[in-house]
Amino acid sequence: MNGKRAIALLAAVMLVGCSACGSGGDGGSPDGSDINPPAERPPVAAYDYEGVPTAAPYTVCHVGGAAAETFESMFAAIRYAGENASSSDPMPVKDANGLEIFRRQGTSKCWCYDGTNFVGTMEQKAALAWAEKHARSYVYNGKGTGFLYVGTTYPTEGRPLSYEQGSSGYSYLRTPAGKMSSNNTWQEYGYAYASGTVRLSEAVYRDADGSQWNAYVFFNIGTVTENCDLGIGLFGTAVGDPRYEGMEGQWKVIHNCTHASHKNGEDEHGSFHIWQEQTVTTMKKDPGTGVYGGADDLFIEAIGGRDTWTLRITNLATGEKFGYTHSHEGVNAGKEGYYRINAVVTMIAAMGNPWDARCGGFLKNVVWEDLKVARYRADETYPDAAKEEFYPGLPTLDYGYTQGADCAHLTVGVHAEDGVYKSGAAYLKGSKYLAFSSYYDGTHIED
């Protein structure tokens, strides 16, 4: 995880249906849930796909023409070919119409796709330049063993970023770091506190098909040398992984800390740790659709200190408290001014690079309200007067992006009318929210 992933939605999102199987793969909402409360957003033009539409199933062939495996997902077929092909048997992949869309080749050229449309091969420089202009693009290396780039959208002006190509589709919002004066003192401290209300009652998820997946809602707090994810995680059970047995639909407290003590055994917890005894809320499965929902709303606070990382969670339905403070002496001492915060939510639908962008799972409509951040304070207390709104268009947001925009979306919304969430909590006309989704079922959210 380490500070890059995604979030989800609440108001007036529209699942736009394009043609099935190939012209980018859009379809209607498969769960039938109401994910369209009213909001005000400018209209967005329909996405214009480049290339030739492909059609399932996709067959991986041996060089002599014999079929090796058949897949409903184009991405699964390419991954299989990439893992098993050789220079003597490049294992071409063909769609249902006989269109060859991949075969193992050298590293000088890349394979390019726009959604599930086949674009062709390009030299790497040209491929990356093309992909930067196509939000739903995928660029594989010539051997099909990894993504070199996946399409990205930006809610801010942004700047060049270092992407995690293996992290699936996610959205990411980041505060500025602190500012150093010319005499090596801190002119302005960075942000060490974050909080927000997560309307998890609005969210729905579905298991990915035949692959392990994880989903997260968290703040990442970092300095120059260390950072920690502080939040909650949901762990897929579709493949029967014994680590997650009995955790179906359960949102657990998690951390992911870079400090060396987690790696060398000095700390009893690993770098990534699930607090099994802390289930903050549970989603229930609809047996007819396979879709989970019905979680409670949460209030989450995350704090970075000189020696500590602190997470506090309140279940707003039950009043129960969760979280932790874990300590590493001097972990951030002398670096307090650099603090910066990322707000993230994602569903990592299939581990590794390349991942399967049509594995069928999704996490949609995790709504953030009243997001606040505060600059580091020496007494490490954060009264309301110190907190600032964290939202696109404000100076608290340095930059943000949605990576893998074929499989993820960030809605920046304003409620058009007064209303009530599924939890019964009210929202007011004119109030802001952020809504992030990750989805691998061929649907797309359009504002």
Side-chain angles (χ1 to χ4, degrees):
M1 286 186 312
N2 280 354
K4 301 180 180 77
R5 303 294 193 276
I7 313 179
L9 125 83
L10 177 289
V13 296
M14 181 169 60
L15 297 178
V16 177
C18 292
S19 63
C21 199
S23 62
D26 282 10
S29 174
D31 53 281
S33 60
D34 174 16
I35 58 173
N36 300 296
E40 294 176 355
R41 291 182 227 97
V44 175
Y47 188 83
D48 185 16
Y49 288 96
E50 188 173 323
V52 181
T54 65
Y58 301 88
T59 302
V60 183
C61 304
H62 291 294
V63 70
E69 293 286 346
T70 300
F71 299 86
E72 287 300 309
S73 166
M74 180 187 83
F75 303 92
I78 295 172
R79 183 168 64 185
Y80 179 88
E83 291 172 348
N84 293 281
S86 64
S87 56
S88 60
D89 186 1
M91 301 190 81
V93 178
K94 298 181 179 180
D95 81 341
N97 298 317
L99 175 67
E100 184 174 303
I101 61 169
F102 173 83
R103 68 165 56 214
R104 185 186 189 273
Q105 59 180 3
T107 57
S108 62
K109 288 192 175 183
C110 309
W111 292 93
C112 301
Y113 308 85
D114 201 3
T116 55
N117 281 21
F118 176 59
V119 176
T121 60
M122 301 183 196
E123 300 289 342
Q124 181 171 324
K125 183 176 180 180
L128 298 182
W130 168 81
E132 286 177 357
K133 298 177 182 178
H134 294 78
R136 296 179 184 173
S137 60
Y138 299 89
V139 177
Y140 286 82
N141 64 33
K143 296 182 178 180
T145 55
F147 291 125
L148 296 178
Y149 188 90
V150 294
T152 304
T153 58
Y154 300 88
T156 65
E157 288 297 317
R159 62 179 185 220
L161 301 169
S162 176
Y163 302 101
E164 292 184 3
Q165 305 294 355
S167 295
S168 305
Y170 64 88
S171 297
Y172 176 113
L173 299 174
R174 180 173 176 142
T175 68
K179 296 179 181 179
M180 183 73 78
S181 299
S182 57
N183 61 355
N184 290 326
T185 60
W186 290 107
Q187 174 185 340
E188 191 173 45
Y189 282 143
Y191 292 91
Y193 170 94
S195 65
T197 299
V198 183
R199 298 296 177 189
L200 207 55
S201 60
E202 297 297 318
V204 291
Y205 88 84
R206 187 173 67 192
D207 279 316
D209 298 332
S211 62
Q212 181 57 52
W213 59 268
N214 301 333
Y216 303 99
V217 179
F218 66 92
F219 292 112
N220 172 275
I221 305 180
T223 63
V224 177
T225 58
E226 304 285 352
N227 70 85
C228 187
D229 298 338
L230 304 103
I232 57 175
L234 180 70
F235 304 92
T237 57
V239 293
D241 190 319
R243 294 176 299 172
Y244 308 132
E245 186 175 352
M247 292 170 59
E248 185 175 11
Q250 296 180 348
W251 286 92
K252 300 279 189 178
V253 171
I254 59 97
H255 81 234
N256 193 23
C257 178
T258 60
H259 194 264
S261 63
H262 294 293
K263 301 179 179 70
N264 62 23
E266 293 179 9
D267 193 289
E268 63 178 317
H269 302 129
S271 296
F272 176 72
H273 181 69
I274 304 170
W275 300 74
Q276 295 282 4
E277 71 280 11
Q278 297 197 51
T279 302
V280 299
T281 186
T282 300
M283 289 176 155
K284 302 297 184 183
K285 184 177 183 178
D286 182 325
T289 63
V291 175
Y292 291 75
D296 295 330
D297 293 343
L298 308 172
F299 179 71
I300 299 180
E301 293 180 286
I303 306 167
R306 289 187 195 89
D307 306 305
T308 58
W309 307 110
T310 297
L311 174 69
R312 301 174 186 149
I313 300 175
T314 302
N315 182 309
L316 297 177
T318 67
E320 292 177 278
K321 307 287 186 180
F322 304 90
Y324 52 77
T325 293
H326 72 270
S327 302
H328 305 296
E329 185 175 355
V331 62
N332 297 317
K335 297 169 282 189
E336 300 93 335
Y338 180 82
Y339 277 116
R340 89 292 178 276
I341 288 171
N342 306 320
V344 188
V345 180
T346 188
M347 180 181 188
I348 307 173
M351 299 303 187
N353 182 6
W355 35 274
D356 182 0
R358 294 295 184 272
C359 63
F362 57 73
L363 172 65
K364 298 178 180 179
N365 307 345
V366 183
V367 181
W368 280 94
E369 280 190 324
D370 198 30
L371 270 169
K372 299 288 182 66
V373 292
R375 295 185 182 275
Y376 176 78
R377 293 165 55 92
D379 63 3
E380 298 189 4
T381 63
Y382 295 92
D384 287 344
K387 299 171 187 175
E388 304 173 61
E389 188 178 10
F390 183 45
Y391 199 77
L394 299 177
T396 49
L397 182 62
D398 188 18
Y399 62 84
Y401 64 86
T402 296
Q403 182 187 273
D406 181 47
C407 297
H409 186 77
L410 169 62
T411 293
V412 178
V414 178
H415 290 299
E417 302 292 342
D418 294 350
V420 178
Y421 292 114
K422 293 176 183 177
S423 63
Y427 57 83
L428 299 177
K429 178 180 179 180
S431 61
K432 301 175 182 177
Y433 66 89
L434 293 171
F436 303 59
S437 296
S438 297
Y439 37 85
Y440 307 90
D441 58 345
T443 63
H444 294 97
I445 292 173
E446 307 264 9
D447 290 337

